[in-house]
Amino acid sequence: MYRKEKSVQLKSSSAALYNNLSVLRGPGRQLPCFSTVHGPSVNVVSAAAEGLGCSHRQLQAREGGSALSTSLLTQAAWCVLPSRVLLVLASQKGIQMYESDGSIMVYWHALDIAEHSPARAVFARGIAAAGGRFVCVGEPSGGLGRAWGGSLGGRVGRAPADAAAGTSSGLVLVFDIPPKGTNVTVSEVLEQHRDAITDIAAELGQAPDGAGDLVTADDAGTLCIWSTGEEFTLLGKIPAFGWACSSVTLWNGVVAAGYGNGQIRLYEAATGLPRAEVNAHARWIYALDVAPQTGMLLSGAEDSFVHVWKLSRDADTDDVEIQHCHAECVTDTQVCGARFCDPEGNSFAVTGYDLSEIFRFSRA
């Protein structure tokens, strides 16, 4: 069903982090962009369809924009909003937002590390655009916001941009993003999780009436379903069952969650009721992605396998169904990132721990 294309070389290898691959390919964009994290830096690569003529950029995790102080990155992802696209970096010390090509830092949000015990890990993780103007990111506690106007002399304050971020203590920061400029603000903090945020996903299809359009996941395996807007409303919680939820997606009112035991579980976003359970992988799942126009689901795990599935609803019973479509073995690779490269699911990209390239596959 899919054939292997020419791979894209990286300047450095990929770290063993959940969801460690982001792909940007918007309308009118000729070259897909890829990003992966390694240590204190993120590799940003633009590549032609035939894998030739790649351009590379490396961004560093910085404390307050200072080039002299770095920390380990935990995730990098593009957030596509109707008015702009931002590249968001999460690290041990804070959250950085750049213009989509990484050329200009728009905003810096510092994590309040002083409030936490030295024995406790502090980091931001989980990034998603939501509600048309927000970015959500997981974060351990309230931090200090700083907007950057293209230089390092920005002002301290709260900025107005809607973004959500997850943190190591279970908070989710909601940033309100302006159509342009650096006036990003923290509009809300979501506090329903007791464990570190692992992933955040927004609705990529059409949410049915009464269904939430944002889902957050944590290290215990608990999922929270939210309705976004001027105020985010918790619609329901899906309880943990003993395994961490490492990756989550949301499509047409169906929550697809990947767990440490290799299972993919499907839930109704409106009710939280379980709909299907698949023993998809032999080891820990590290990445899920969905193609919004077709409902194709991509999963990657420590077992070196990448699987493509098809999500659908039965027209008569409204039951949620999942069908296996394709399997690909990336030999001797602990897969840590897997993403579709187009909204139809006709191509996808994969990377793995200590791998200095991105494998690409497309429909035969």
Side-chain angles (χ1 to χ4, degrees), residues 47-339:
E50 64 274 13
L52 303 175
C54 296
S55 63
H56 296 262
R57 181 189 291 270
Q58 280 194 325
L59 301 176
Q60 300 292 317
R62 297 172 180 171
E63 183 178 2
S66 170
L68 301 178
S69 179
T70 62
S71 62
L72 295 179
L73 286 168
T74 50
Q75 193 176 358
W78 279 286
C79 289
V80 180
L81 299 168
S83 59
R84 69 195 299 184
V85 179
L86 295 177
L87 176 59
V88 181
L89 277 56
S91 74
Q92 293 174 315
K93 294 184 179 179
I95 299 159
Q96 299 170 54
M97 298 185 188
Y98 288 85
E99 296 295 352
S100 62
D101 62 357
S103 60
I104 300 173
M105 181 187 286
V106 174
Y107 181 72
W108 158 259
H109 182 94
L111 302 187
D112 197 351
I113 299 173
E115 289 189 3
H116 296 269
S117 165
R120 181 177 182 181
V122 177
F123 53 85
R125 183 176 61 189
I127 302 168
R133 62 175 236 242
F134 300 99
V135 171
C136 300
V137 184
E139 197 243 29
S141 64
L144 180 64
R146 186 184 297 266
W148 302 101
S151 68
L152 299 184
R155 65 190 180 281
V156 175
R158 298 291 185 181
D162 284 357
T167 68
S168 55
S169 65
L171 304 184
V172 176
L173 300 183
V174 179
F175 295 93
D176 191 344
I177 310 296
K180 59 182 179 179
T182 63
N183 193 23
V184 176
T185 56
V186 178
S187 64
E188 196 169 353
V189 179
L190 310 179
E191 302 182 352
Q192 289 294 324
H193 288 276
R194 296 178 177 271
D195 296 273
I197 299 296
T198 52
D199 199 18
I200 302 172
E203 173 65 68
L204 294 178
Q206 183 64 45
D209 292 342
D213 57 357
L214 185 76
V215 58
T216 53
D218 67 29
D219 258 337
T222 300
L223 307 180
C224 290
I225 301 172
W226 308 84
S227 174
T228 64
E230 289 300 324
E231 293 186 359
F232 282 49
T233 303
L234 179 68
L235 299 182
K237 277 189 176 183
I238 298 172
F241 66 97
W243 289 93
C245 177
S246 49
S247 192
V248 67
T249 66
L250 181 57
W251 179 78
N252 283 6
V254 178
V255 176
Y259 294 91
N261 63 350
Q263 285 187 344
I264 296 174
R265 294 190 173 195
L266 306 181
Y267 303 93
E268 288 284 0
T271 63
L273 293 175
R275 286 302 197 180
E277 178 182 308
V278 180
N279 293 319
H281 291 269
R283 298 187 66 181
W284 205 290
I285 292 176
Y286 263 59
L288 290 182
D289 193 27
V290 69
Q293 292 188 10
T294 60
M296 304 297 286
L297 180 70
L298 183 68
S299 64
E302 284 184 333
D303 61 2
S304 300
F305 275 89
V306 179
H307 292 286
V308 180
W309 316 80
K310 179 71 169 69
L311 301 179
S312 61
R313 283 186 182 272
D314 186 283
D316 297 324
T317 65
D318 203 37
D319 287 340
V320 177
E321 299 176 346
I322 181 170
Q323 176 185 0
H324 186 261
C325 301
H326 181 78
E328 197 73 47
C329 180
V330 187
T331 307
D332 298 328
T333 299
Q334 177 185 327
V335 174
C336 60
R339 285 288 183 269

